[in-house]
Amino acid sequence: LSAAALEKLFLDKKVRDKKATGVIMETDDKSLKLTKNLQNITDLTKGELKENKREGKVHPVSNTTTAAASEKLSIEGPSLKYLEKKRLNLDQRVRDKKATGVIMETDAQSLKLTKYLQKITRILLTTKYGDYEQYRVKVDLEFQSSIPDFDTNGPNGTLVIEMAPISILPVSVYNWLEIARTWNSGAFHRNADHVLQATTDATDVTQPLSFQEYSEEYPHTKGTVGYCGRPSGPCWYINIIDNTENHGRGSQQDENPQEADANFGRIVEGLDDVVPRIHSIPQKDWLDEKNQVLIKTMTILVPKSGGGGGDFVEWKPSLQ
């Protein structure tokens, strides 16, 4: 199944769940939005099927099995295992495409592939971490005794990063949530004039992103966080100035005027005190180990159920 077909199954399940609540679907705003989205994705999958038939990609085998599987998915929704497998497959296809040297941001086939990857990643992300408007990650730090204000402010510090909207940067956000979920260790090891850069050791994220996911809707302004390197990640940085030109489209290389660093969130707590404290380390650029700021833990936060006022609680994995 294509990513669009998977999304159709997922939306179909959400519509069924909504109807089961007893709400009057025809007048409820959320219900109308859900059914409209389902209609749109249904039209898209019909178009894909026609295209595949024209290209000879539809094989008349196991039709009964496929229909049974589709019916099961439309009732139960795709499982995490199923979604993860499909996403990994698409991710590898994107990596293979990028390895050809094509400019991904303007090549039609590349754009189609990355769009599919983004779609299935959104489905997987909301299935795995919950369907929320916002996701956050709390980053607990340990300052070493070499920092000048250690006797006054001690070893502890905390940053809270709010994820970018998954409507525009789902792959980058999912990658960061996976880093946070399987975090082992890391440290801020670079104190530059434009960024604070950190190393990353996470069990489930050991390679860069498959493509440079970037949107002009979420530029590298002061206080945002992005993945370093081309290809980007898994190391990351905090933009301590506006780096839209330094890290935006066409930056840091001459071959691809469209390529940019992937951006995935912004600092919502700690920007005015903890970030300047890291930057106050006397040593500049690459730091000796004794001067690095250690990243002890990461905690995924989601909006509190039924709560108001922007309250967040620690995310707990479901038994799916």
Side-chain angles (χ1 to χ4, degrees):
L1 295 177
S2 70
L6 283 172
E7 190 166 2
K8 175 182 177 295
L9 294 171
F10 183 66
L11 279 170
D12 183 80
K13 174 65 164 55
K14 293 187 75 171
V15 170
R16 291 171 185 268
D17 291 343
K18 192 68 175 177
K19 186 172 178 62
T21 66
V23 69
I24 298 176
M25 302 282 286
E26 293 78 8
T27 57
D28 177 66
D29 287 341
K30 289 186 177 180
S31 301
L32 290 170
K33 184 177 179 180
L34 270 177
T35 52
K36 179 64 175 177
N37 288 341
L38 178 58
Q39 289 169 347
N40 289 340
I41 201 68
T42 299
D43 291 340
L44 178 61
T45 53
K46 286 180 180 177
E48 283 184 349
L49 183 59
K50 289 179 181 178
E51 181 182 346
N52 288 340
K53 284 182 177 179
R54 283 197 301 269
E55 297 178 1
K57 294 180 181 178
V58 177
H59 302 285
V61 294
S62 303
N63 286 339
T64 303
T65 303
T66 302
S70 297
E71 177 64 20
K72 183 176 186 292
L73 282 169
S74 67
I75 295 172
E76 300 176 0
S79 69
L80 276 179
K81 184 177 180 181
Y82 183 85
L83 290 171
E84 286 170 343
K85 180 180 178 180
K86 291 296 181 182
R87 183 189 179 280
L88 284 173
N89 178 267
L90 271 171
D91 186 82
Q92 187 58 55
R93 289 175 64 190
V94 171
R95 292 180 189 277
D96 293 343
K97 188 67 176 178
K98 186 173 178 61
T100 66
V102 69
I103 295 180
M104 302 283 287
E105 294 80 5
T106 56
D107 177 69
Q109 189 177 16
S110 300
L111 289 170
K112 184 177 180 180
L113 272 176
T114 55
K115 184 178 180 181
Y116 282 174
L117 178 60
Q118 288 176 318
K119 282 184 176 182
I120 196 169
T121 301
R122 286 190 200 98
I123 301 170
L124 174 57
L125 192 157
T126 54
T127 302
K128 191 170 191 174
Y129 292 105
D131 192 357
Y132 300 104
E133 292 289 329
Q134 295 176 329
Y135 305 85
R136 292 182 176 181
V137 172
K138 181 166 70 78
V139 182
D140 291 315
L141 309 177
E142 180 182 333
F143 290 86
Q144 301 192 73
S145 59
S146 59
I147 194 166
D149 69 350
F150 186 84
D151 290 340
T152 303
N153 294 319
N156 299 322
T158 297
L159 300 170
V160 176
I161 304 171
E162 184 172 279
M163 301 296 96
I166 64 172
S167 58
I168 56 175
L169 297 171
V171 176
S172 300
V173 170
Y174 178 75
N175 190 70
W176 183 253
L177 293 178
E178 289 289 275
I179 286 174
R181 182 179 61 84
T182 63
W183 181 258
N184 295 318
S185 64
F188 282 96
H189 68 137
R190 187 183 180 201
N191 181 21
D193 291 334
H194 66 305
V195 295
L196 302 174
Q197 186 172 315
T199 59
T200 298
D201 180 356
T203 303
D204 283 9
V205 181
T206 58
Q207 59 182 336
L209 296 174
S210 56
F211 74 106
Q212 300 298 111
E213 185 180 49
Y214 180 73
S215 171
E216 300 286 1
E217 297 179 49
Y218 210 86
H220 288 270
T221 54
K222 180 180 179 179
T224 56
V225 290
Y227 294 111
C228 48
R230 305 289 174 88
S232 286
C235 65
W236 60 289
Y237 56 78
I238 301 171
N239 290 302
I240 58 176
I241 64 170
D242 188 336
N243 281 315
T244 302
E245 291 189 9
N246 293 330
H247 296 153
R249 294 195 188 279
S251 62
Q252 302 182 31
Q253 42 78 43
D254 298 323
E255 293 78 18
N256 186 346
Q258 300 297 323
E259 190 175 74
D261 280 0
N263 222 9
F264 63 88
R266 64 186 181 94
I267 305 291
V268 292
E269 292 182 25
L271 183 62
D272 297 328
D273 50 2
V274 178
V275 169
R277 190 181 183 199
I278 300 171
H279 194 45
S280 74
I281 296 171
Q283 185 180 9
K284 299 304 176 185
D285 213 23
W286 305 104
L287 301 177
D288 298 335
E289 284 191 18
K290 66 177 182 179
N291 293 325
Q292 295 178 8
V293 180
L294 308 179
I295 302 173
K296 303 301 291 183
T297 61
M298 289 194 186
T299 307
I300 299 172
L301 306 174
V302 295
K304 184 178 181 180
S305 178
D311 294 333
F312 283 75
V313 296
E314 181 177 351
W315 169 80
K316 300 291 186 182
S318 62
L319 300 176
Q320 183 170 358

